[in-house]
Coordinates of all heavy atoms in Angstrom, one line a residue:
G91 N -113.8 -16.1 68.8 CA -112.5 -16.4 69.2 C -112.0 -15.5 70.4 O -111.3 -16.1 71.3
A92 N -112.3 -14.3 70.4 CA -111.9 -13.4 71.4 C -112.6 -13.7 72.8 O -112.1 -13.5 73.9 CB -112.2 -11.9 71.0
S93 N -113.9 -14.3 72.7 CA -114.6 -14.5 73.8 C -114.4 -16.0 74.3 O -115.0 -16.5 75.3 CB -116.2 -14.3 73.6 OG -116.6 -15.2 72.6
G94 N -113.6 -16.8 73.6 CA -113.3 -18.1 74.1 C -114.1 -19.2 73.5 O -113.9 -20.4 73.9
Q95 N -115.1 -18.9 72.7 CA -116.0 -20.0 72.2 C -115.4 -20.7 71.1 O -115.8 -21.9 70.8 CB -117.4 -19.4 71.8 CG -118.1 -18.9 73.0 CD -119.6 -18.6 72.6 OE1 -120.3 -19.6 72.2 NE2 -120.0 -17.4 72.7
I96 N -114.5 -20.1 70.3 CA -113.6 -20.8 69.4 C -112.2 -21.0 70.0 O -111.6 -20.0 70.3 CB -113.6 -20.0 68.0 CG1 -114.9 -20.0 67.3 CG2 -112.5 -20.7 67.1 CD1 -115.0 -19.3 66.0
R97 N -111.8 -22.3 70.0 CA -110.6 -22.6 70.8 C -109.4 -22.8 69.8 O -108.3 -23.1 70.3 CB -110.8 -23.8 71.6 CG -111.9 -23.6 72.6 CD -112.2 -24.9 73.4 NE -112.7 -26.0 72.5 CZ -114.0 -26.1 72.1 NH1 -114.8 -25.2 72.5 NH2 -114.3 -27.1 71.4
N98 N -109.5 -22.5 68.6 CA -108.5 -22.7 67.6 C -107.4 -21.7 67.8 O -107.6 -20.5 67.6 CB -109.1 -22.6 66.1 CG -108.1 -23.1 65.1 OD1 -106.9 -22.9 65.2 ND2 -108.6 -23.9 64.1
R99 N -106.2 -22.1 68.1 CA -105.1 -21.1 68.4 C -104.4 -20.6 67.0 O -103.6 -19.8 67.1 CB -104.0 -21.7 69.2 CG -104.5 -22.1 70.6 CD -103.4 -22.7 71.5 NE -103.8 -23.0 72.8 CZ -103.0 -23.4 73.8 NH1 -101.8 -23.6 73.5 NH2 -103.5 -23.7 75.0
H100 N -104.9 -21.2 65.9 CA -104.3 -20.8 64.6 C -105.4 -20.1 63.7 O -105.4 -20.2 62.5 CB -103.7 -22.0 63.9 CG -102.7 -22.8 64.7 ND1 -101.5 -22.3 64.8 CD2 -102.8 -23.9 65.4 CE1 -100.7 -23.1 65.6 NE2 -101.5 -24.1 65.9
L101 N -106.2 -19.3 64.4 CA -107.3 -18.7 63.7 C -106.7 -17.7 62.6 O -107.3 -17.4 61.6 CB -108.1 -17.9 64.7 CG -109.6 -17.5 64.2 CD1 -110.3 -18.7 63.8 CD2 -110.3 -16.8 65.4
D102 N -105.5 -17.2 62.9 CA -104.9 -16.3 61.9 C -104.3 -16.9 60.7 O -103.7 -16.2 59.9 CB -103.9 -15.4 62.7 CG -102.7 -16.3 63.3 OD1 -102.9 -17.5 63.2 OD2 -101.7 -15.7 63.8
E103 N -104.5 -18.2 60.6 CA -104.1 -18.9 59.3 C -105.3 -19.1 58.5 O -105.2 -19.8 57.4 CB -103.5 -20.2 59.7 CG -102.1 -20.0 60.5 CD -101.5 -21.4 60.8 OE1 -102.0 -22.4 60.3 OE2 -100.5 -21.4 61.6
Y104 N -106.5 -18.6 58.8 CA -107.7 -18.8 58.1 C -108.2 -17.5 57.4 O -108.2 -16.4 58.0 CB -108.8 -19.4 58.9 CG -108.5 -20.8 59.4 CD1 -107.8 -21.0 60.5 CD2 -109.0 -21.9 58.6 CE1 -107.4 -22.3 60.9 CE2 -108.7 -23.2 59.0 CZ -108.0 -23.5 60.2 OH -107.7 -24.7 60.6
G105 N -108.8 -17.6 56.2 CA -109.5 -16.5 55.6 C -111.0 -16.8 55.6 O -111.5 -18.0 55.5
L106 N -111.8 -15.8 55.8 CA -113.3 -16.0 55.9 C -114.0 -15.0 55.1 O -113.6 -13.7 55.2 CB -113.8 -15.9 57.3 CG -113.2 -17.0 58.3 CD1 -112.2 -16.4 59.2 CD2 -114.3 -17.7 59.1
I107 N -115.0 -15.3 54.3 CA -115.7 -14.4 53.5 C -117.2 -14.8 53.5 O -117.5 -16.0 53.4 CB -115.3 -14.5 52.0 CG1 -113.8 -14.3 51.9 CG2 -116.0 -13.5 51.2 CD1 -113.3 -14.8 50.6
G108 N -118.1 -13.9 53.8 CA -119.5 -14.1 53.7 C -120.4 -13.2 54.6 O -119.9 -12.7 55.5
E109 N -121.5 -13.0 54.1 CA -122.5 -12.2 54.8 C -123.4 -13.1 55.7 O -123.6 -14.2 55.3 CB -123.5 -11.4 53.8 CG -124.6 -10.6 54.4 CD -125.5 -10.1 53.4 OE1 -125.2 -9.9 52.3 OE2 -126.7 -9.8 53.8

Side-chain angles (χ1 to χ4, degrees):
S93 64
Q95 293 194 60
I96 292 181
R97 301 176 296 278
N98 193 318
R99 295 184 179 181
H100 302 285
L101 201 56
D102 58 355
E103 296 180 6
Y104 291 85
L106 299 104
I107 307 166
E109 176 187 336

